Amino acid sequence: MRSSTNYKRFQIQLLSTALFVVMLPYAFGASCTTQAQMTSAQRVSLANAARAMVTQIRSGDVQGLRANTIPEVAANFSGIMNSAVMLKPLVERATITVDTLYILDASADPPNTPRTEFFCGSPVVVLTFSDLPPGAYALAVLHATGVAKPQQISLILSRASDNHWMLAGLLEKPMTEAGHDGLWYWVSARRFAQEKSDWAAWLYYRQAEFLLNPIDLMTSPNLQKLQHESDAVQHDGLPVTNPMTLNTQGSAFTVTAIDTTTTFGALDLEVHYKPDATQAALLRDPQTARRQVTDIMLALLLQHPDLRNAFHGIWVRADQGANSLFALELPMNGISGSPAPANSVPNAR
């Protein structure tokens, strides 16, 4: 969701461990220094290191970035490399600013500490690492703006023995989707919730959370409030954890996922379904395939007509394993008994 590509954008590695976030009452042996609490020398050193790494991304210097990465992560660099390659054309002409800096000191932790929590500032932002080796780390969040698709880039850094900062993880995210930022989606989600358009509200809340949380692994009072509002929305029937059955004229389809996408710029619903053998056979003919996925769109809108006002259109994808047998996008005003021309992708992979 948050566009079909958004979930695929998460490319972060940190000493081959997972990074999790929780709200806990206190930390053991770890400390966090916020940007405001840093000395001028600390702030300049960290900001310059982060900017230098983003400059390497902008110039396409992947090997230089790898050389500036801790050995444990450089040995398995493909995830960061893919993110850097994807980011280059998006940020090479952007204005780069440092938005947030944290120094995370776990040097006093004993080896093999299963979990290390960092509590940063007030209101408290919490980061929790699992199996983090003792040492000094940092989080730098940078914004790339002034371009068509502004980005937020989060760098996890590790301080080397000679006190210079090295890359330990990278996460990139858009700052906007379909021309709107996270706050706009949050406000819109509240409006849909008030109107009892629960599916739209829940999907917009998720879009807001994605855009407002730069590292996906951070929590704060505002992010918790957003999560509570999202949890309060009744979105019964959405295939979040289990498939749903969608009945059309004479057929029942197994819908495996409903999300959002900005493939064509505007915010669309994206519906994935798993056709049975008979339904899959009908997808071999473009006319019957188009009719089948259009029936799915119509059935969904008959159940939830309020979705027409929340989204530009609907993508429907027929999946067979990892492959897509057929895909079709229609704007909302083209979803009828005689649909308007649309973008269709037969046999897309």
Side-chain angles (χ1 to χ4, degrees):
M1 135 152 201
R2 312 147 188 183
S3 99
S4 62
T5 60
N6 284 339
Y7 283 139
K8 304 178 182 69
R9 289 179 180 164
F10 181 50
Q11 296 289 348
I12 185 167
Q13 300 177 40
L14 182 61
L15 310 179
S16 302
T17 66
L19 176 63
F20 302 96
V21 181
V22 293
M23 268 305 233
L24 296 174
Y26 53 91
F28 298 93
S31 65
C32 175
T33 303
T34 66
Q35 189 167 335
Q37 295 167 334
M38 294 177 195
T39 66
S40 177
Q42 287 175 317
R43 191 162 48 247
V44 169
S45 173
L46 181 54
N48 285 346
R51 284 196 188 96
M53 293 173 189
V54 173
T55 297
Q56 289 175 316
I57 293 172
R58 296 173 74 187
S59 65
D61 185 11
V62 176
Q63 291 308 312
L65 187 65
R66 185 172 188 172
N68 203 20
T69 300
I70 61 173
E72 297 89 337
V73 175
N76 184 18
F77 196 66
S78 60
I80 290 178
M81 180 180 69
N82 292 339
S83 285
V85 170
M86 187 280 299
L87 268 174
K88 179 184 181 299
L90 298 176
V91 304
E92 59 186 347
R93 297 183 181 277
T95 299
I96 305 298
T97 56
V98 176
D99 183 69
T100 306
L101 296 172
Y102 296 113
I103 292 177
L104 311 171
D105 186 0
S107 56
D109 276 9
N112 302 315
T113 299
R115 191 165 66 183
T116 305
E117 297 94 19
F118 298 97
F119 294 77
C120 305
S122 179
V124 177
V125 172
V126 184
L127 297 168
T128 300
F129 294 75
S130 68
D131 302 318
L132 186 68
Y137 303 91
L139 168 64
V141 181
L142 298 93
H143 288 174
T145 58
V147 288
K149 296 181 179 180
Q151 303 290 311
Q152 45 193 333
I153 305 167
S154 297
L155 305 175
I156 300 292
L157 307 178
S158 175
R159 191 162 62 199
S161 56
D162 62 359
N163 286 328
H164 85 276
W165 292 103
M166 299 190 71
L167 182 64
L170 167 67
L171 169 66
E172 37 75 25
K173 278 188 174 185
M175 294 180 66
T176 62
E177 286 286 6
H180 299 292
D181 62 13
L183 183 59
W184 183 90
Y185 281 103
W186 192 348
V187 171
S188 299
R190 287 175 169 172
R191 186 180 71 250
F192 286 126
Q194 291 170 353
E195 296 170 355
K196 304 302 180 184
S197 182
D198 290 341
W199 280 23
W202 191 73
L203 290 166
Y204 270 60
Y205 273 125
R206 294 185 71 196
Q207 189 75 45
E209 181 185 5
F210 173 76
L211 294 171
L212 291 172
N213 193 345
I215 196 169
D216 275 1
L217 300 166
M218 175 187 292
T219 196
S220 68
N222 274 343
L223 291 172
Q224 285 193 316
K225 182 178 182 180
L226 174 57
Q227 185 61 56
H228 290 326
E229 290 183 24
S230 177
D231 291 343
V233 174
Q234 298 296 318
H235 53 275
D236 297 339
L238 269 170
V240 178
T241 56
N242 298 304
M244 64 173 280
T245 299
L246 186 65
N247 294 307
T248 68
Q249 297 177 357
S251 296
F253 293 93
T254 300
V255 176
T256 57
I258 296 179
D259 225 312
T260 61
T261 178
T262 55
T263 299
F264 291 133
L267 188 70
D268 286 339
L269 275 180
E270 183 171 58
V271 179
H272 289 258
Y273 77 102
K274 183 179 179 181
D276 61 26
T278 300
Q279 294 162 352
L282 293 172
L283 294 174
R284 298 191 186 106
D285 175 71
Q287 262 194 322
T288 57
R290 184 186 181 90
R291 189 176 308 120
Q292 183 177 122
V293 297
T294 303
D295 284 346
I296 290 172
M297 295 177 188
L298 284 167
L300 186 63
L301 292 177
L302 283 172
Q303 288 187 15
H304 300 277
D306 49 293
L307 294 176
R308 285 187 180 271
N309 296 324
F311 300 95
H312 163 265
I314 302 179
W315 263 106
V316 174
R317 298 182 183 273
D319 299 326
Q320 188 174 69
N323 298 329
S324 180
L325 299 178
F326 188 86
L328 177 72
E329 190 270 354
L330 284 172
M332 289 298 184
N333 60 13
I335 302 174
S336 64
S338 300
N343 302 284
S344 61
V345 188
N347 301 319
R349 301 242 175 159

